[in-house]
Amino acid sequence: MKFLSNVLATIVGLFVFSVLSFFLFLLVAAVAGGGKESTEVKDDSVIELDLADISNDYAGKYSDPWVESLSGKSRVGVMDVVKAIRAAAKDDQIKGISILNNTSDLGIAQAKALRDALADFRKSKKFVLSYSNAYSQKEYYIGSVADTVYLNPVGEMDFRGLSTELMFFKDLQEKSGVRMEVIRHGKYKSAVEPFLENKMSDANREQLTALLGGIWSGVLNDISKSRHIPVSQLNAIADGLLARTPEMAKNQKLVDRIAYEDQYHDAIRKALKVEKDKDYNSVKIADYAQNVATTPDEGLGSDRIAVIYAQGEIKSGEGDVTYIGEGSMRRALKEARENKRIKAVVLRVDSPGGSALTSDLIWREIELTKKKKPVIVSMGNLAASGGYYISCGADQIFAEEGTITGSIGVFGVLPNVKGLSDKMGIHAETVSTNANAATYSPFRPLDDTTRKTLTESVEYIYSTFVGRVAKGRHMTPAQVDSIGQGRVWSGKDALRIGLVDKIGGLDAALAEAAKRAKITKYRTMNFPEYKKELGDVLAELMPFASTRESILKEELGEANYRILQQWREAMGQKGVQARLPYDIDLR
């Protein structure tokens, strides 16, 4: 017995030693990383545009220096990359940009911002080259701006137009006994449609068709301009799948050269006047962007414009890089309006919406900030429902043509497991002191009184939402309601109906903010700064911490995992939601 206890004590001791050693290693690494020098950029260098680990506009920053050091591999956001490309155009050490087998999780507005920066870079008479073994539509959209577009001899190109697939869960609910009780306002508010029907409604199909058409039109116009191919011909190529092989793609003038990767590198050497057997100098875009971000801007004065990033779903709480919480957003807006050096605010929104309450709390902070200094909104990939709610009061709103916006509508969903519990033999009884003392129970059908009160809540929040938009956009409530009802619009259509003021990206919004603040020289300050516990970060970095999510994704596959995620998100929604009517997946 004593032997076993000694063995157990030894095992526990080794485990504790390993955990402590691991934490010590992380802390030492964090200290070392905190003092990391900038990457050396040599003469005649080429930037490698690898975006695989860059997806958010804003990489975030944390108030705790240890958390800041340990949080994530990439400390670079998409807007940092755009800024770096613009800086590279004036950098004598940089001779060109190479887009080599690029893959990314960028949305259409982010791809547009990146593409515009590359187009401006080309005006400096430096080269941009693109190579891929297989072009997806999004990666081709980015790469098509290059001077020369390469495709592998046995590669392929996906150029077929845009589509989106929605999943419906009505039958699943009936079979499982778990159903969603739905209260909504807006004939287009289709976030709850998958729980009510087995097919798409006419209203939903109408808005989706218009939305995809608007986004595709913007993509084609940009490609047409770069490749000198009429839009009508590009549509014919997509309809007939006329660019699916390298030879077909070249015949249609979508690519310039069919070549292997070594031949692509030879072309770069030739442009740099480097011998074939020599390596050319290169620098990764993330490293170069870090250099740009940490290099002081000279001669820009003391004035500042705050860029506050609102990215991800809107939820209650602190917030983080991947979701919007009232804690970090309210602190950021308060600091921006009280800091005397900050002369204007640009709110960069990339959000499908979420909690109606949190959206209103952020809206209120923007209203307070507007009283002291200009607030301009720059919409990214999407600023829908709650994302539009927090935008609508700004002094001016910018969107890209492909931005998904609007969706002025609200809904509430309540999971009900009465059918499942009956099947399993689980029964619930309630004892109350008053008629309405008991709140909603998932073990009972939704009664008329509860449905009535919830409907009143949804209607109240919808009317409040409409009122906020009417005030911010100088419309009548009736005008807002006519373009509301949960309908989603592209940025191009949103401009036409008055939901946004101008088409443009973050740079255009900054220029407008500077104009309204009457400043010409300024620097930008990025917000929010998030509060996160060091213990949470260390737990995420524990050895053998292959998360349950990664295991599920691997076992189920991407498509099935996406279905599971949508179901779980719906089950986890609390309170009235101002959210995009669906999770749109552009392919």
Side-chain angles (χ1 to χ4, degrees):
M1 197 67 177
K2 185 176 181 181
F3 171 75
L4 290 175
S5 62
N6 288 339
V7 170
L8 181 60
T10 302
I11 293 173
V12 171
L14 287 171
F15 176 76
V16 172
F17 175 77
S18 298
V19 171
L20 291 175
S21 298
F22 174 70
F23 285 165
L24 180 61
F25 168 77
L26 288 178
L27 294 178
V28 171
V31 172
K36 182 181 177 182
E37 296 182 358
S38 62
T39 301
E40 180 185 1
V41 180
K42 299 178 181 179
D43 290 338
D44 298 328
S45 287
V46 175
I47 290 177
E48 296 177 359
L49 195 69
D50 181 0
L51 303 170
D53 294 326
I54 302 172
S55 58
N56 294 315
D57 282 347
Y58 175 51
K61 56 185 177 181
Y62 297 89
S63 54
D64 187 323
W66 292 110
V67 173
E68 177 72 13
S69 298
L70 292 170
S71 293
K73 295 184 294 182
S74 175
R75 307 303 300 154
V76 172
V78 174
M79 293 302 124
D80 296 314
V81 170
V82 170
K83 182 180 179 181
I85 292 172
R86 299 199 188 284
K90 303 174 183 177
D91 188 339
D92 293 337
Q93 292 179 301
I94 300 298
K95 301 302 180 186
I97 294 177
S98 169
I99 311 172
L100 176 60
N101 286 321
N102 180 52
T103 59
S104 71
D105 289 326
L106 303 187
I108 193 66
Q110 291 172 318
K112 167 70 173 172
L114 180 65
R115 197 179 187 282
D116 287 348
L118 290 169
D120 289 341
F121 178 87
R122 285 185 59 191
K123 295 175 183 176
S124 66
K125 306 303 180 183
K126 301 178 181 184
F127 65 81
V128 177
L129 300 180
S130 177
Y131 179 94
S132 183
N133 291 326
Y135 279 111
S136 68
Q137 291 190 120
K138 181 175 60 181
E139 305 311 339
Y140 178 73
Y141 173 58
I142 296 171
S144 64
V145 77
D147 302 279
T148 309
V149 179
Y150 292 75
L151 181 58
N152 187 290
V154 290
E156 59 184 23
M157 176 175 288
D158 184 14
F159 193 81
R160 62 180 67 232
L162 301 181
S163 69
T164 186
E165 183 179 61
L166 305 184
M167 291 170 288
F168 296 84
F169 306 112
K170 184 179 179 182
D171 284 351
L172 174 63
Q173 294 176 105
E174 293 176 358
K175 292 177 180 178
S176 67
V178 180
R179 64 189 298 268
M180 304 302 291
E181 300 284 4
V182 172
I183 300 96
R184 63 174 171 172
H185 183 108
K187 66 178 181 179
Y188 293 99
K189 203 63 191 173
S190 343
V192 294
E193 191 174 88
F195 304 111
L196 302 175
E197 305 291 342
N198 281 322
K199 64 179 183 178
M200 192 181 301
S201 67
D202 292 340
N204 196 10
R205 186 173 296 278
E206 174 191 349
Q207 70 169 344
L208 269 176
T209 301
L211 178 64
L212 292 181
I215 295 172
W216 182 239
S217 174
V219 168
L220 291 186
N221 286 334
D222 285 341
I223 295 175
S224 175
K225 182 178 178 180
S226 295
R227 300 300 302 173
H228 308 292
I229 304 172
V231 169
S232 59
Q233 178 61 21
L234 288 172
N235 268 318
I237 294 170
D239 288 338
L241 301 178
L242 303 181
R244 60 186 183 274
T245 68
E247 291 77 13
M248 294 172 76
K250 186 177 180 183
N251 288 338
Q252 295 294 340
K253 299 181 180 180
L254 291 184
V255 304
D256 300 295
R257 288 197 60 191
I258 299 171
Y260 287 101
E261 188 178 326
D262 60 285
Q263 295 171 303
Y264 171 76
H265 289 296
D266 285 343
I268 294 177
R269 290 187 182 93
K270 183 177 180 180
L272 296 172
K273 298 180 181 179
V274 173
E275 296 178 19
K276 275 194 173 185
D277 59 343
K278 302 291 185 181
D279 291 333
Y280 59 85
N281 299 325
S282 64
V283 57
K284 293 183 181 301
I285 186 60
D287 293 332
Y288 188 77
Q290 285 276 27
N291 284 7
V292 171
T294 55
T295 300
D297 295 321
E298 301 296 336
L300 294 181
S302 61
D303 290 336
R304 302 286 187 268
I305 294 179
V307 182
I308 301 177
Y309 289 88
Q311 56 190 27
E313 189 172 349
I314 300 174
K315 305 178 183 179
S316 62
E318 165 62 16
D320 204 343
V321 175
T322 56
Y323 80 95
I324 303 166
E326 74 269 16
S328 55
M329 289 297 295
R330 294 172 78 178
R331 281 199 313 275
L333 286 160
K334 185 173 186 291
E335 181 174 347
R337 67 174 175 265
E338 293 181 353
N339 187 326
K340 293 182 179 180
R341 291 194 302 169
I342 295 175
K343 305 303 181 182
V345 175
V346 171
L347 182 69
R348 173 70 175 185
V349 182
D350 188 2
S351 172
S355 166
L357 173 59
T358 303
S359 299
D360 195 69
L361 294 174
I362 297 170
W363 172 88
R364 172 60 180 168
E365 291 296 328
I366 291 169
E367 289 295 296
L368 294 174
T369 305
K370 274 173 53 186
K371 293 177 180 178
K372 293 192 173 184
K373 51 198 68 174
V375 177
I376 309 298
V377 161
S378 168
M379 292 180 171
N381 297 321
L382 65 165
S385 212
Y388 189 77
Y389 196 127
I390 66 176
S391 304
C392 67
D395 294 302
Q396 195 159 43
I397 300 175
F398 287 78
E400 298 285 10
E401 285 191 355
T403 296
I404 300 172
T405 189
S407 190
I408 301 166
V410 295
F411 67 89
V413 291
L414 297 167
N416 190 289
V417 297
K418 179 68 166 61
L420 178 62
S421 63
D422 285 347
K423 292 177 183 179
M424 297 181 65
I426 300 173
H427 306 282
E429 293 287 344
T430 302
V431 177
S432 304
T433 59
N434 294 81
N436 296 302
T439 57
Y440 170 76
S441 169
F443 295 98
R444 297 194 308 271
L446 184 63
D447 61 76
D448 292 339
T449 300
T450 304
R451 182 176 293 278
K452 180 182 176 182
T453 56
L454 288 173
T455 300
E456 288 174 354
S457 178
V458 165
E459 293 298 328
Y460 172 75
I461 292 174
Y462 178 73
S463 64
T464 302
F465 192 170
V466 167
R468 305 286 193 235
V469 176
K471 177 184 176 183
R473 302 305 302 163
H474 308 292
M475 298 177 175
T476 66
Q479 288 173 321
V480 176
D481 186 56
S482 69
I483 57 176
Q485 297 288 326
R487 177 156 185 172
V488 175
W489 305 89
S490 68
K492 182 179 180 180
D493 286 334
L495 175 65
R496 174 177 56 80
I497 62 176
L499 289 179
V500 306
D501 297 294
K502 291 184 179 180
I503 297 297
L506 182 59
D507 287 345
L510 285 168
E512 179 65 26
K515 178 182 175 182
R516 288 177 178 252
K518 299 179 180 179
I519 57 176
T520 55
K521 296 181 179 180
Y522 63 89
R523 298 174 185 170
T524 58
M525 293 177 66
N526 291 338
F527 296 91
E529 184 175 89
Y530 304 108
K531 292 181 179 179
K532 194 172 184 178
E533 296 296 328
L534 177 59
D536 294 337
V537 179
L538 292 175
E540 293 169 5
L541 297 174
M542 280 288 288
F544 315 115
S546 179
T547 66
R548 181 180 65 174
E549 299 305 309
S550 63
I551 294 171
L552 281 172
K553 188 179 293 186
E554 183 177 346
E555 292 299 318
L556 295 174
E558 285 289 342
N560 291 329
Y561 180 74
R562 190 168 70 251
I563 295 173
L564 176 64
Q565 280 292 89
Q566 289 186 17
W567 179 258
R568 292 197 314 190
E569 286 173 7
M571 295 289 285
Q573 289 170 356
K574 296 179 180 179
V576 178
Q577 299 289 303
R579 196 185 189 286
L580 186 69
Y582 31 67
D583 292 318
I584 192 165
D585 181 23
L586 299 178
R587 299 177 182 175

